[in-house]
Amino acid sequence: MRILLTTLHSKYIHSSLALQYLKSYCRDMTEIIDIKEYTINHDLDYVLAEIYRGQHEIVCFSCYIWNIEQTLRIAKNLKKVNPKVKIILGGPEVSFDARELLDKSPFIDYIVIGEGEATFKELLDYLVKFQGDLESIQSIAFRVNGVAIETNERGLIKELDTIPSPFGDGLVGYDNRIIYYESSRGCPHNCRYCLSSTIKGVRFLSIDRVKKDMDVFLAAGVKQVKFVDRTFNAKKSHCLEIMRYLHEHDNGTTNFHFEITADLLDEEILAFLSLVREGLFQFEVGVQTTYDMTMEAIDRKVDFHRLSQTVKHISKYNNIHLHLDLIAGLPHETLQRFKLSFDEVYNLRPEKLQLGFLKLLKGSGIRRDEGLHGYIYRDEPPYEVLGNRYLTYREMLQIKVMEEMVEHYFNTHAFDHGVEFILKQFYKSAAEFYLELGQFWEARGYHHTSHGRNAMYEILLVFYQEKKWEAMDYFRELLKLDYLKQGKSTIPLFFESLEDTDFKNKVHQFLQNQDNVVKYLPRFEGQPAKQIIKKVHFESFQYDVLQSFEKLEKVDIHKAPTTLLFDYALDYKVFSKSKVYKIDLEG
């Protein structure tokens, strides 16, 4: 007998920790269990054909909001072409309405509900080894004489170390994928929009177990390990020992991503974080809202003042990427109040501001109380909110376009100088800027198609011109600086680059002087100028575009002819794609 564990990811780079856990827990049957992973972008006929060709007697699908509709279509047709196959579903998207799903879907044979390892093992023992009684298996749904039933709920696995590590035999099948990892299950928070609130308490893997798994990742030099712990720093001793171990055994290349609650970080942890390599850690901080009334309504307790101080503290180290999250559509947050939350988070200047939209997930507390706040939302996955008594659908659409502008013009960090100048000179609210930019974007019809790199810069120039703001020449040069920092390429005509013969001769002479090379580009010492110029760029500016706006009330704009050297070395690709020097070509 052959058994298949499969799922549809949202992107190819993702990998399934859940399937690996299920296989490792069924340690006495691993020889007959295969894992195949696809994406929602695959043609469904292709996926169906591939699964069918495997001729597995049991096919098990891991179900989430992003793949449930495609999964059901595949499973339905699989049953048609192979009526004898047993189809098992599991995962959060089928754990809260299992009987109803069985009633609507005769092609499904069994549903594993909730935490799946022990339940799945017992179900396979019954199906493969003919051991035990089906109705005695807890937390499953199936049919008896055509009637869907659901067995009693199973308790959680108390000792997570009893689940064998899926990484004990190495990293087969993880090429070019993000590795997902958990050192704990559960969350200390009880946010009513999150499924973690349905499970009380936090359970931890032992530190020794985590260290052994980390050794595998570090030895393999994987690009990124993403911890899926809902709050990685829920237990200080646990998180600090793991981070210290990763710091002490740093291989110089692997990045570790953690979801943390920033207001729980104390001085000891902050002092440690100042020591780590740039790019070793990446933190995702779930702010969600800064409004106390909203926090109370969703049962979330975050000290935003302390969170802000902690984020500012970490930002000064310039070694840890900070991703801060906001959610639009939460209770009591009108458009005006959401803009305030946005501004307060934006002003912390994280590396990334992730603006999400509330989803009324099956089993969540906020979905049970949907009428309390007048929610309207999509009936189909991912159950995203369309409006409530605080936000109209029209206002939600405004925030949608605002989110797109934030993705393009903030999270890419390809427009930092230009956008910061606009905010410093013309806006008191970042939210107002992104909303107005979004309105301009839609009015011009830019939302109807995708745009390349050059077009995104030109669109921002057109926005600036339409506003009839002063200092257009200065702004154009700021955007040229932003453009050139992104990588070596031909400069668009709208930036008016200076490339005359005299300038090129001065650049050549500069690179022939070994004192200049040693000072600015030491790795190129001894190399001819024609080789160096392939990896760097020189550009003339009429203004001092490198001045910082951070402490200025208003930007001092005056002409100051400047030549900048852009070094496109790989060493600088953690926070920027280049390093920039102000140089003197006349000296």
Side-chain angles (χ1 to χ4, degrees), residues 29-64:
M29 286 183 268
T30 55
E31 295 300 318
I32 63 171
I33 297 177
D34 301 317
I35 294 179
K36 297 288 184 182
E37 300 175 56
Y38 305 95
T39 79
I40 57 175
N41 298 313
H42 275 116
D43 182 83
L44 295 190
D45 286 335
Y46 166 79
V47 178
L48 172 63
E50 287 297 295
I51 294 175
Y52 174 80
R53 290 189 183 105
Q55 291 299 295
H56 296 87
E57 285 86 355
I58 300 173
V59 176
C60 317
F61 294 91
S62 185
C63 304
Y64 300 87

Side-chain angles (χ1 to χ4, degrees), residues 298-314:
I298 60 176
D299 200 15
R300 182 175 178 81
K301 298 175 179 64
V302 174
D303 184 338
F304 182 71
H305 174 72
R306 183 170 178 179
L307 181 151
S308 299
Q309 296 306 309
T310 300
V311 166
K312 291 176 182 177
H313 206 97
I314 295 174

Side-chain angles (χ1 to χ4, degrees), residues 68-166:
I68 183 62
E69 293 182 329
Q70 295 96 321
T71 296
L72 292 176
R73 289 202 292 270
I74 293 169
K76 182 177 182 179
N77 287 309
L78 179 63
K79 197 73 164 184
K80 289 179 179 179
V81 297
N82 185 7
K84 293 183 179 179
V85 69
K86 296 296 183 185
I87 293 179
I88 302 174
L89 303 188
E93 188 53 25
V94 297
S95 290
F96 296 95
D97 59 352
R99 278 182 293 180
E100 292 85 346
L101 186 56
L102 283 176
D103 286 336
K104 294 187 297 185
S105 311
F107 52 89
I108 302 171
D109 296 292
Y110 306 97
I111 295 178
V112 173
I113 300 168
E115 190 173 65
E117 288 88 356
T119 303
F120 183 67
K121 173 68 166 62
E122 290 182 15
L123 182 56
L124 285 195
D125 284 341
Y126 171 80
L127 295 173
V128 177
K129 299 180 179 179
F130 308 106
Q131 295 178 357
D133 174 54
L134 188 60
E135 295 190 21
S136 68
I137 301 174
Q138 296 175 318
S139 287
I140 62 169
F142 59 98
R143 297 180 191 84
V144 175
N145 298 322
V147 178
I149 69 167
E150 189 174 313
T151 61
N152 294 331
E153 183 178 355
R154 179 185 297 274
L156 300 174
I157 297 173
K158 294 181 180 180
E159 298 294 334
L160 294 185
D161 279 20
T162 60
I163 307 173
S165 172

Side-chain angles (χ1 to χ4, degrees), residues 319-331:
N319 63 347
I320 296 174
H321 265 256
L322 286 167
H323 294 185
L324 271 57
D325 299 343
L326 278 175
I327 296 179
L330 292 172

Side-chain angles (χ1 to χ4, degrees), residues 262-320:
D263 55 325
L264 295 181
L265 298 179
D266 62 15
E267 292 184 3
E268 182 182 10
I269 295 179
L270 290 174
F272 159 74
L273 292 176
S274 68
L275 306 174
V276 304
R277 168 179 62 85
E278 179 182 355
L280 177 61
F281 296 151
Q282 180 172 296
F283 290 164
E284 183 173 341
V285 181
V287 182
Q288 320 311 9
T289 180
T290 66
Y291 191 26
D292 289 341
M293 181 179 289
T294 298
M295 287 192 206
E296 184 177 351
I298 60 176
D299 200 15
R300 182 175 178 81
K301 298 175 179 64
V302 174
D303 184 338
F304 182 71
H305 174 72
R306 183 170 178 179
L307 181 151
S308 299
Q309 296 306 309
T310 300
V311 166
K312 291 176 182 177
H313 206 97
I314 295 174
S315 294
K316 291 178 182 178
Y317 300 153
N318 290 318
N319 63 347
I320 296 174

